[in-house]
Amino acid sequence: MSEPTLQTPTLTEHPGTSDAVRAQILATEHWSLLATRSLTWTETFSRAGMFLTVVSGAVVALALVGNATAFGPAFRGFALLLLPVVLLIGLLTYARLSDANLEEIGLLIGMNRLRHAYLEIAPELTPYFVTGLHDDEAGIAQTYGTVFHRYTGYSVIQALSGTPELVGLITAVTAGVLGELVTGSVGGSERASVVTGIICGVALAAALMLRTLRRYARARRAYQPRFPS
């Protein structure tokens, strides 16, 4: 966020409106953002649940067909038809969940600005707020982690344990299995199939991570906080 911040007039510069009216307007917007954030979380969990249901169904179907065909050519053909569908659903689910995370950050920014406005009206309440009061990165991080993350920081495990990341991991594994099957179907050796599967899985995981990092970096460059810490 290297660009200059926007200068926004404070509430005290507009004395024509009473504090009660200001608080009512701010509260209405706050509840609107809270409801939208709740819908975003609901969609995130629903999409992740649908994807896991598809994966579970695919695993069960593969097990049944494999048992019936002794994991022969018919099983391989069935897997080559089924796994691309699972892979496509996984990619689309990951993209939507990743975008939903960005949308949630936008909602948090709005809620931080509203809390900042509340405390312009009643600054004596500042010690009672544990969520962020500013719309910059520090304020967003405070809202996500409240109090204790200021001291403990964020670990790699926390970064990788989010819903989009877990969906992306399962999708990458699916890509690896599909790569192994395709290589074996065209006459590749067992070793070549395994190596190809690993390469496909790692490559897709890296591509998904790169996509997310680029989108976040683009958003950070374009965003200008109005109430920095």
Side-chain angles (χ1 to χ4, degrees):
M1 299 182 181
S2 58
E3 299 183 12
T5 58
L6 299 176
Q7 298 298 321
T8 302
T10 62
L11 295 178
T12 56
E13 296 179 18
H14 299 280
T17 306
S18 67
D19 287 346
V21 173
R22 291 170 177 168
Q24 182 178 5
I25 295 173
L26 293 172
T28 301
E29 176 66 7
H30 195 128
W31 280 106
S32 175
L33 295 180
L34 189 62
T36 304
R37 189 184 181 198
S38 178
L39 290 174
T40 301
W41 275 92
T42 300
E43 181 190 4
T44 296
F45 290 130
S46 297
R47 286 181 177 268
M50 286 188 294
F51 172 66
L52 293 178
T53 299
V54 170
V55 172
S56 300
V59 171
V60 171
L62 289 172
L64 292 175
V65 173
N67 185 58
T69 60
F71 295 94
F75 167 77
R76 188 178 296 272
F78 178 76
L80 290 174
L81 290 175
L82 181 61
L83 290 181
V85 177
V86 178
L87 177 61
L88 178 60
I89 295 175
L91 291 174
L92 295 176
T93 303
Y94 177 86
R96 178 58 194 133
L97 296 185
S98 180
D99 292 345
N101 273 1
L102 277 177
E103 294 171 8
E104 187 195 8
I105 291 176
L107 297 173
L108 288 179
I109 288 173
M111 296 172 74
N112 280 16
R113 289 180 180 178
L114 292 174
R115 279 189 288 269
H116 190 278
Y118 290 145
L119 295 178
E120 285 188 14
I121 297 174
E124 69 276 7
L125 298 178
T126 301
Y128 302 99
F129 282 73
V130 297
T131 48
L133 312 176
H134 304 278
D135 61 347
D136 55 5
E137 289 189 56
I140 297 170
Q142 182 179 348
T143 298
Y144 263 123
T146 62
V147 177
F148 290 107
H149 279 174
R150 303 183 201 174
Y151 312 110
T152 60
Y154 290 89
S155 66
V156 176
I157 295 178
Q158 286 175 303
L160 296 178
S161 61
T163 304
E165 287 72 24
L166 293 178
V167 170
L169 178 62
I170 297 174
T171 305
V173 172
T174 303
V177 173
L178 184 59
E180 188 275 337
L181 286 173
V182 171
T183 304
S185 298
V186 297
S189 64
E190 181 177 352
R191 181 176 181 180
S193 299
V194 172
V195 171
T196 301
I198 294 175
I199 292 175
C200 290
V202 172
L204 182 59
L208 294 178
M209 183 180 298
L210 183 61
R211 175 191 182 273
T212 299
L213 292 177
R214 282 182 174 177
R215 289 179 64 81
Y216 275 85
R218 191 181 306 120
R220 291 179 65 186
R221 288 193 301 268
Y223 175 67
Q224 300 181 44
R226 292 180 179 270
F227 305 102
S229 301

